[in-house]
């Protein structure tokens, strides 16, 4: 069967033997490391939900492969309809409802849906055979149910210069050597979400390349355990709390996410794993389609995180005895309004999707960009309202070690008491969860990534300006009032 369980997934990652530099030290068996294991459990959720006892959840996480006819995990599916696109967003929201953080598996999936159509159109134009190669690669991904990390973001160096104008040309990942049976690549990809939980990397160009920049127009698949691939784990706010044995202080101790700097130090890629090699006229299309799919994704995962934050905020207002105050109710309604608006745009860009020439479905690009631009703002307002309602304690709480201390513990329980029947420690757990999302490691997924993931706000504004048919709107206005 093509479907793996969460435990199968963890065992398969373990067998890769990946190493990374973590807090300055080369570290093996990352599946056991406290800074990585929670992120692995998040990805495992994408597998376990496909075996959920709840029929609706199980069906949402499964799909029928268009390549093999097998039943597969939806996280590897090539969208065949607008229903598939909407199921994607619904599934992402549900997954975030379980993990309350990024579960990392959408990036490679979004990259694959982009690669499927771009390689097809590139072949039609250039007579290449990238599409067939990609189909073969993706058949394996589906039938082995593995995780692919989509790697687009280059370091980019001096932002005023093109890739070829950088004093170090490796600041954009590039082909440094062409051989009869493949290429050698060198460079780095930054901010790689979930890389240490991935079996494969799908390398993509980071922008529309121009003449003379053929070496930077490269798309290929690289196993994460290849020679020359190196990883450096990124730090997150309060990450050292995960090294203490005090789960309450973390806020969300079960799940997490990670990002890494990934270095490609002269990595050989064989011919059959190359899906673009110098076709500069298709690199921009790659960026646009991948970004479009990933901007749609945020209309699913961010409302899923928002659900938890709204729930925690409503709960703390109840624990504090203020749930019936009209301004509190109004603020909670405002949070819901903002959160559901994000979901609306995720669903809308899916409902208006269209088939590509290759047969898989593409979202409505304008609405996907509207979705992501909303995501760059609304979670911040939702977080602001959560902090407003939760109160200053989220920034001043004593540590869990102080609750256990016989001298301080009784004082803390006495002076953090609120409504009769509420355990002060439960209250602390709720406050720590809110802290996690607005200023702790959860804020990586909920706030910072909401701005920069799938491209910063200005990238969406440019796309909106391009897609919105401003001339058409001018014509409509002119027609209405009789101007030729
Ligand atoms: Fe998926 Fe959201 Fe994480 Fe992107 S940020 S990989 S869409 S969960
Ligand atoms: Fe992301």
């Amino acid at each position: 069967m093509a479907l793996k369980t969460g435990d199968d997934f963890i065992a398969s990652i373990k067998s890769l033997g990946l190493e990374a530099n973590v807090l300055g030290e080369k570290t093996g068996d990352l599946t056991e490391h406290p800074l990585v294991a929670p992120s692995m459990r998040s990805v495992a959720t994408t597998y376990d939900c496909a075996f959920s006892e709840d029929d609706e959840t199980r069906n949402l996480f499964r799909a029928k492969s268009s390549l093999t006819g097998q039943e597969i995990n939806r996280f590897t599916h090539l969208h065949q309809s607008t229903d598939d696109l909407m199921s994607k967003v619904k599934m992402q929201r549900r997954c975030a409802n379980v993990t309350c953080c990024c579960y990392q598996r959408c990036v490679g999936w979004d990259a694959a849906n982009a690669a499927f159509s771009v390689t097809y159109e590139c072949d039609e134009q250039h007579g290449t055979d990238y599409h067939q190669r990609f189909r073969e690669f993706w058949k394996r991904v589906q039938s082995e149910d593995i995780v692919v990390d989509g790697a687009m973001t280059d370091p980019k160096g001096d932002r005023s210069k093109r890739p070829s104008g950088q004093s170090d040309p490796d600041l954009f990942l590039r082909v440094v050597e062409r051989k009869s049976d493949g290429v050698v690549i060198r460079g780095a990809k930054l901010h790689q979400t979930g890389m240490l939980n991935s079996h494969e990397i799908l390398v993509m160009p980071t922008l529309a390349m121009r003449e003379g920049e053929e070496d930077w127009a490269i798309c290929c698949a690289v196993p994460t355990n290849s020679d020359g691939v190196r990883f450096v784990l990124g730090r997150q706010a309060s990450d050292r709390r995960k090294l203490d044995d005090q789960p309450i202080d973390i806020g969300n101790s079960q799940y997490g996410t990670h990002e890494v700097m990934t270095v490609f130090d002269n990595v050989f890629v064989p011919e059959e794993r190359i899906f673009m090699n110098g076709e500069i006229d298709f690199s921009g299309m790659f960026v646009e389609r991948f970004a479009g799919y990933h901007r749609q994704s945020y209309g699913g995962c961010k409302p899923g995180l928002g659900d938890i934050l709204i729930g925690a905020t409503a709960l703390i207002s109840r624990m504090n005895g203020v749930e019936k105050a009209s301004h509190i109710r109004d603020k909670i309604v405002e949070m819901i309004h903002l959160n559901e608006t994000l979901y609306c745009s995720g669903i809308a860009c899916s409902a208006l999707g269209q088939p590509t020439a290759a047969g898989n479905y593409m979202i409505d690009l304008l609405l996907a960009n509207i979705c992501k631009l909303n995501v760059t703002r609304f979670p911040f307002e939702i977080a602001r309202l959560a902090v407003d309602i939760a109160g200053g304690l989220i920034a001043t709480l004593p540590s869990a070690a102080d609750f256990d201390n016989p001298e301080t513990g009784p004082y803390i329980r006495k002076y953090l008491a609120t409504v009769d029947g509420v355990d002060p420690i439960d209250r602390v757990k709720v406050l720590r969860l809110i802290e996690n999302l607005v200023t702790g490691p959860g804020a990586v997924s909920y706030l910072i990534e909401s701005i920069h993931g799938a491209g910063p706000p200005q990238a969406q504004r440019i796309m909106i300006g391009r897609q919105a048919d401003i001339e058409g709107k001018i014509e409509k206005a002119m027609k209405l009032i009789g101007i030729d």
Side-chain angles (χ1 to χ4, degrees), residues 28-78:
D29 203 5
L30 298 160
T31 58
E32 307 286 335
H33 195 286
L35 294 190
V36 181
S39 71
M40 203 159 293
R41 289 194 288 271
S42 300
V43 185
T45 302
T46 70
Y47 287 89
D48 283 334
C49 285
F51 289 88
S52 169
E53 283 176 11
D54 173 49
D55 290 348
E56 206 191 317
T57 303
R58 194 175 61 250
N59 292 334
L60 202 50
F61 280 70
R62 293 182 180 208
K64 188 176 169 202
S65 167
S66 56
L67 300 178
T68 64
Q70 276 184 310
E71 192 167 38
I72 53 168
N73 190 300
R74 185 176 293 283
F75 275 96
T76 65
H77 187 45
L78 299 164

Side-chain angles (χ1 to χ4, degrees), residues 89-90 92-93 293-304 339-347 349 368 371-372 375:
V89 174
K90 290 177 193 166
Q92 288 169 317
R93 186 170 186 170
Y293 282 121
H294 207 48
R295 289 169 193 173
Q296 169 213 24
S297 285
Y298 280 27
C301 79
K302 300 311 176 207
N339 201 44
E340 296 302 333
T341 304
L342 299 180
Y343 188 54
C344 287
S345 46
I347 290 291
C349 70
C371 175
K372 173 66 208 319
V375 167

Side-chain angles (χ1 to χ4, degrees), residues 102 107 193 294 298 302 449 453-454:
C102 167
V107 192
T193 302
H294 207 48
Y298 280 27
K302 300 311 176 207
E449 191 177 44

Side-chain angles (χ1 to χ4, degrees), residues 55-119:
D55 290 348
E56 206 191 317
T57 303
R58 194 175 61 250
N59 292 334
L60 202 50
F61 280 70
R62 293 182 180 208
K64 188 176 169 202
S65 167
S66 56
L67 300 178
T68 64
Q70 276 184 310
E71 192 167 38
I72 53 168
N73 190 300
R74 185 176 293 283
F75 275 96
T76 65
H77 187 45
L78 299 164
H79 316 296
Q80 299 299 302
S81 63
T82 52
D83 273 353
D84 271 349
L85 289 168
M86 287 190 281
S87 292
K88 172 190 175 191
V89 174
K90 290 177 193 166
M91 178 183 76
Q92 288 169 317
R93 186 170 186 170
R94 198 164 294 204
C95 207
N97 282 171
V98 178
T99 61
C100 193
C101 64
C102 167
Y103 35 85
Q104 307 143 57
R105 208 176 169 187
C106 325
V107 192
W109 181 25
D110 289 340
N113 271 280
F116 193 78
S117 64
V118 175
T119 51

Side-chain angles (χ1 to χ4, degrees), residues 416-469:
L416 291 188
T418 51
V419 171
D420 283 349
V422 170
D423 181 342
I425 304 302
D426 285 346
R427 187 173 171 233
V428 169
K429 286 182 186 169
V430 180
L431 291 166
R432 286 287 182 216
L433 174 57
I434 296 172
E435 182 202 24
N436 174 289
L437 281 165
V438 303
T439 179
V444 172
S445 301
Y446 192 54
L447 297 180
I448 311 301
E449 191 177 44
S450 287
I451 297 251
H452 287 291
Q458 191 55 24
Q460 285 106 65
R461 288 184 181 280
I462 290 168
M463 281 300 292
I464 290 168
R466 265 194 223 149
Q467 298 277 326
D469 185 23

